[in-house]
Amino acid sequence: LMNQFHDILPGSSIRRVYEDAARDYATIAELAGSVLHGALRQLEDRIDTSGFAQPVLVFNPSGHRRCEVTELPDGRPALVDVPPCGYAVIERDDPAHQETDSPVRVEKKAAGVVMENGLLRLCWDRKGHLVSCYDLEVGREVLASGQVGNQLRLHPDFPNAYDAWDVDVFYHEAVEVVDGLTETRVVTQEALRGEIRQVWKFGHSRLTQNIVLRAGSKRV
């Protein structure tokens, strides 16, 4: 649990700490992955898929039912209903898993981009800021009046005492809003998934942001 330390998690350590943590996490992922994949292979051997031409197994490790969009091995999205701590077997090319009553819609306009899925309607302006996040299910605007979302900000970091660890109370008094949006492009426009890509430039840096909305989900 050393890498769950309270300075590693929020990003307030020095660079060398993160170099060490990255190596540790790579080792942990390899060890845990070998255990996980071995266990899944044992389960796969016990699951009857004889009734399927091209079966795909979908596992749900969480303790609650999940009906959501996942990604097939070939990259296509599929809507799957999986019981808690269980699995589902689906036919890879079954069109039923590509359909939904509330498809995702993405529209790029002169004023910005609109994306919705029957649960949320999201609107970005030409600066790339989220100017509306409307909850269609309960009928209300989520963003506070006069505020925007997806606004990237830069703050100078000159702490009083240490080169890390300190986040001084006055940091928010100086801020630069990143408004150097150079590209907005619709990457995916499918019934189960919509995705836009925004590219920002500031100073000598470049930031690429992919924003995804899936059918049946309020997660952005």
Side-chain angles (χ1 to χ4, degrees):
L1 294 177
M2 184 173 68
N3 289 329
Q4 302 296 302
F5 182 58
H6 64 250
D7 280 319
I8 293 179
L9 289 176
S12 55
S13 285
I14 59 176
R15 174 173 178 149
R16 287 177 57 192
V17 171
Y18 292 102
E19 292 172 347
D20 289 344
R23 286 192 293 268
D24 290 345
Y25 278 128
T27 301
I28 293 167
E30 183 178 358
L31 290 171
S34 65
V35 175
L36 172 64
H37 296 146
L40 291 179
R41 281 193 295 270
Q42 291 292 321
L43 290 173
E44 289 170 4
D45 292 341
R46 290 166 170 78
I47 296 173
D48 182 13
T49 61
S50 58
F52 297 83
Q54 294 178 305
V56 175
L57 276 169
V58 183
F59 291 96
N60 175 13
S62 62
H64 57 88
R65 172 177 172 260
R66 297 173 71 176
C67 182
E68 58 190 72
V69 177
T70 188
E71 195 170 273
L72 298 176
D74 60 7
R76 288 180 301 158
L79 185 60
V80 187
D81 192 351
V82 191
C85 298
Y87 66 89
V89 185
I90 67 170
E91 191 70 67
R92 192 188 71 176
D93 295 327
D94 186 351
H97 295 289
Q98 307 293 323
E99 299 172 354
T100 175
D101 294 334
S102 298
V104 180
R105 292 196 294 268
V106 185
E107 187 176 0
K108 186 177 179 181
K109 302 180 178 181
V113 178
V114 178
M115 184 187 298
E116 64 175 276
N117 66 351
L119 297 174
L120 292 180
R121 182 187 299 121
L122 308 166
C123 301
W124 291 266
D125 62 15
R126 287 181 294 181
K127 292 184 177 181
H129 298 157
L130 187 65
V131 293
S132 176
C133 178
Y134 192 81
D135 190 323
L136 296 166
E137 191 174 36
V138 298
R140 75 178 184 91
E141 175 62 49
V142 175
L143 296 180
S145 178
Q147 301 297 310
V148 299
N150 197 48
Q151 187 180 72
L152 307 175
R153 296 183 171 190
L154 299 175
H155 298 274
D157 182 23
F158 299 108
N160 284 326
Y162 303 103
D163 59 348
W165 310 301
D166 283 5
V167 180
D168 292 314
V169 295
F170 54 80
Y171 84 91
H172 55 79
E173 295 176 4
V175 58
E176 177 185 350
V177 176
V178 178
D179 277 335
L181 184 66
T182 62
E183 178 187 347
T184 299
R185 180 163 61 92
V186 177
V187 177
T188 305
Q189 190 169 3
E190 301 171 337
L192 297 183
R193 181 177 60 193
E195 180 179 357
I196 65 172
R197 177 171 299 155
Q198 299 190 145
V199 179
W200 313 76
K201 285 187 177 181
F202 50 97
H204 297 292
S205 299
R206 173 187 173 97
L207 188 149
T208 301
Q209 182 186 51
N210 290 353
I211 305 172
V212 181
L213 182 66
R214 295 175 175 84
S217 175
K218 287 186 177 182
R219 176 181 293 176
V220 183

